[in-house]
Amino acid sequence: MEVLIIGGGIIGLSSAFYLQQAGYTVTVIDRTDMQQGCSYGNAGYICPSHFVPLATPGIVRQGLKWMLNAKSPFYIKPSLSRSMISWGWQFMKSATKEHVERAAVPLRDIALLSKRLYEEWTHIPGLDFSYDPQGMLELFNSEENAHHAEHTIKDAHALGIDARLIDRATLQQMEPDTAINALGAVYFPGDAQLYPNQLMHSLMTYLRSRGVQFRGKEEVTGFINEGNRVKGVRTATNVYAADHIVVAAGVWSRDLAKELQLKIPMVGGRGYSVTLEDAPYKVRHSVILSEARVAISPMNGNKIRFGGTMEITGLNAPPRMQRVEGILESVKRYFPAYDIPLPPADQVWFGYRPCSADGLPHIGNLERYPNVTVATGHSMLGISLGAATGKLVGELVTKAPVSMDIAPFKVERFS
Ligand SMILES: Cc1cc2nc3c(=O)[nH]c(=O)nc-3n(C[C@H](O)[C@H](O)[C@H](O)COP(=O)(O)OP(=O)(O)OC[C@H]3O[C@@H](n4cnc5c(N)ncnc54)[C@H](O)[C@@H]3O)c2cc1C
């Protein structure tokens, strides 16, 4: 049985991993050379602590304030495009306390499943991705966020997730290598960190060695349908036949879904990162700066990565270096010894998070075309939820019982 996976990001590759393991003949097709996309320059957090989706009560008001500042962590470019209006409408409808409560359990369950699977992957010869289960520190430096931290801890405990309030002195003991300017932190001992570039390269090499075929620099432009089956896909130069198709094309899945008469409201949430390959700066845990929404990731020895910004804008808009300046300036506010000059634009990475309207991924076989599986919309959590999503895709394609309840991820929920 031949499976064709559209998209060679983390979701496509982890799906390939489980499908190859199940004995299928797998081809991954991608419109790029699969070296730079969203699954590469991200912060690499495996974070069961992230059980709150992007759409929360208050985010709209806060977002409007942030929009007036070019260096702020969140920006939506006003647009009258249909896809933006449809996403914005569903996003606002989802920004409720009830939705946040409903989303928490499925987000927790898929994150815990994924973490367990990544831990299994660390034992597979040939797969290496600098997995580090040190936990994550979420720093705060405002009274408002100190108060918010207490709520976060209560909510985490209600979900069975370990979370601890850390005062300034303990924080400094946990991070002894540099002075930190923060009132305190929430420590999530159950979170982990990996080096995404290494994960992607290692997965690709591993999959190639197991016979998975890769077709780079070919863009899928349409599907070949017959009744309720999709028999293959079309690119500018080729036609690929397959028994089963997996759509794992990140934010671009939205346009492919349209070709399948399916509506997935989704936008690209652009984020930036700067990586120092041999850094004089050391942190021992993954760090989030709450007020600035910036992530600091120690990776693979001496590397350190600073990332952030959620910029909802066109997929071809030129990068805005002011946002990168905003990230680096906020790092300095919490870590006064960190002097990181703004690098030239060609040394700044950016990628588009596939932001679903309600902060939950879309994972499932299509009702109209049962031989098509969609796996997309992971927003800020594609790495964290990657291994579990691949596992679920494997189960959906092979018609095995699924490892968890996937009803909240129903692909057609906005169609
Ligand atoms: C700054 C930043 C920090 C982040 N930090 C984290 C983090 O710490 N933890 C976490 O879990 N997540 C994080 N994320 C989010 C995470 O990176 C994404 O959720 C994840 O990479 C999405 O993976 P994907 O496979 O769905 O999409 P992508 O990685 O975008 O892959 C989709 C692939 O499909 C291909 N494609 C698209 N259309 C077609 C077509 N028509 N034909 C062929 N190929 C096509 C694309 O070229 C692309 O390679 C972060 C993101 C950013 C920007």
Side-chain angles (χ1 to χ4, degrees):
M1 170 128 153
E2 304 228 356
V3 183
L4 185 81
I5 299 175
I6 309 172
I10 182 60
I11 303 301
L13 295 197
S14 56
S15 302
F17 177 89
Y18 286 104
L19 286 164
Q20 186 281 325
Q21 203 174 64
Y24 285 55
T25 304
V26 182
T27 302
V28 178
I29 185 163
D30 199 289
R31 61 189 197 121
T32 70
D33 58 0
M34 293 173 275
Q35 297 297 320
Q36 271 296 317
C38 196
S39 299
Y40 286 79
N42 61 74
Y45 293 179
I46 307 303
C47 40
S49 62
H50 280 44
F51 52 80
V52 179
L54 182 63
T56 54
I59 185 77
V60 178
R61 188 169 32 88
Q62 175 70 63
L64 286 172
K65 271 199 235 158
W66 272 333
M67 276 174 71
L68 303 174
N69 178 356
K71 294 182 181 176
S72 71
F74 188 69
Y75 175 75
I76 300 187
K77 186 172 188 322
S79 158
L80 289 177
S81 81
R82 268 177 145 196
S83 51
M84 181 61 102
I85 291 170
S86 153
W87 177 85
W89 171 242
Q90 296 294 348
F91 180 82
M92 291 214 280
K93 277 204 336 200
S94 302
T96 66
K97 186 167 170 281
E98 294 70 34
H99 171 69
V100 170
E101 281 167 9
R102 262 199 318 274
V105 169
L107 282 178
R108 173 200 64 186
D109 289 350
I110 188 170
L112 289 175
L113 171 64
S114 212
K115 188 182 165 210
R116 185 167 60 71
L117 296 169
Y118 278 121
E119 278 165 359
E120 281 177 23
W121 288 14
T122 62
H123 301 293
I124 298 179
L127 271 188
D128 189 8
F129 45 97
S130 304
Y131 183 80
D132 183 351
Q134 281 268 24
M136 195 259 283
L137 286 165
E138 200 170 307
L139 274 48
F140 53 83
N141 62 14
S142 71
E143 288 298 339
E144 192 189 342
N145 274 6
H147 182 65
H148 183 69
E150 286 170 18
H151 284 282
T152 305
I153 288 174
K154 228 169 83 198
D155 293 346
H157 289 174
L159 289 165
I161 290 174
D162 193 359
R164 304 171 197 173
L165 196 58
I166 301 292
D167 62 18
R168 186 196 281 264
T170 314
L171 172 63
Q172 203 59 80
Q173 276 166 17
M174 292 174 75
E175 287 295 344
D177 302 315
T178 188
I180 299 183
N181 180 20
L183 292 178
V186 181
Y187 175 45
F188 293 100
D191 279 12
Q193 161 88 60
L194 53 75
Y195 178 27
N197 309 59
Q198 190 184 18
L199 171 72
M200 296 299 290
H201 288 137
S202 179
L203 259 178
M204 223 181 289
T205 308
Y206 176 86
L207 292 170
R208 272 205 179 97
S209 74
R210 307 229 138 202
V212 172
Q213 297 286 316
F214 285 88
R215 301 266 179 266
K217 298 194 177 165
E218 269 203 81
E219 179 168 0
V220 172
T221 51
F223 297 91
I224 302 160
N225 307 347
E226 191 177 86
N228 67 347
R229 283 189 67 73
V230 174
K231 288 170 37 188
V233 304
R234 222 176 282 116
T235 69
T237 47
N238 281 309
V239 164
Y240 293 93
D243 301 300
H244 201 106
I245 315 268
V246 177
V247 179
V251 65
W252 299 273
S253 306
R254 175 189 67 198
D255 302 329
L256 289 170
K258 267 191 218 146
E259 298 283 317
L260 297 165
Q261 302 86 48
L262 182 69
K263 190 166 142 196
I264 302 183
M266 196 157 52
V267 290
R270 184 161 64 183
Y272 301 82
S273 73
V274 171
T275 307
L276 305 185
E277 291 295 327
D278 190 13
Y281 310 116
K282 299 267 168 290
V283 278
R284 300 187 179 194
H285 303 83
S286 314
V287 171
I288 287 185
L289 313 177
S290 301
E291 290 81 5
R293 311 257 168 137
V294 162
I296 305 181
S297 318
M299 286 172 174
N300 192 22
N302 252 4
K303 291 184 210 304
I304 189 164
R305 178 169 288 171
F306 306 95
T309 285
M310 176 66 87
E311 187 185 24
I312 313 281
T313 184
L315 295 176
N316 297 312
R320 290 189 182 79
M321 291 299 282
Q322 273 175 306
R323 306 230 151 252
V324 186
E325 250 181 299
I327 293 172
L328 299 178
E329 284 172 10
S330 48
V331 169
K332 175 98 182 143
R333 279 199 296 279
Y334 295 75
F335 290 80
Y338 282 26
D339 282 314
I340 308 136
L342 182 68
D346 64 355
Q347 285 169 33
V348 172
W349 174 90
F350 60 88
Y352 294 91
R353 305 172 183 92
C355 292
S356 65
D358 58 3
L360 294 175
H362 293 255
I363 306 171
N365 290 339
L366 297 191
E367 282 169 359
R368 187 190 288 252
Y369 301 108
N371 74 324
V372 176
T373 306
V374 167
T376 189
H378 294 74
S379 308
M380 312 169 296
L381 297 171
I383 296 292
S384 188
L385 312 184
T389 303
K391 173 93 175 156
L392 291 166
V393 169
E395 291 162 349
L396 286 161
V397 174
T398 57
K399 308 220 165 19
V402 280
S403 298
M404 61 172 285
D405 176 18
I406 57 167
F409 308 144
K410 190 173 166 61
V411 180
E412 290 91 350
R413 62 186 183 273
F414 296 113
S415 280

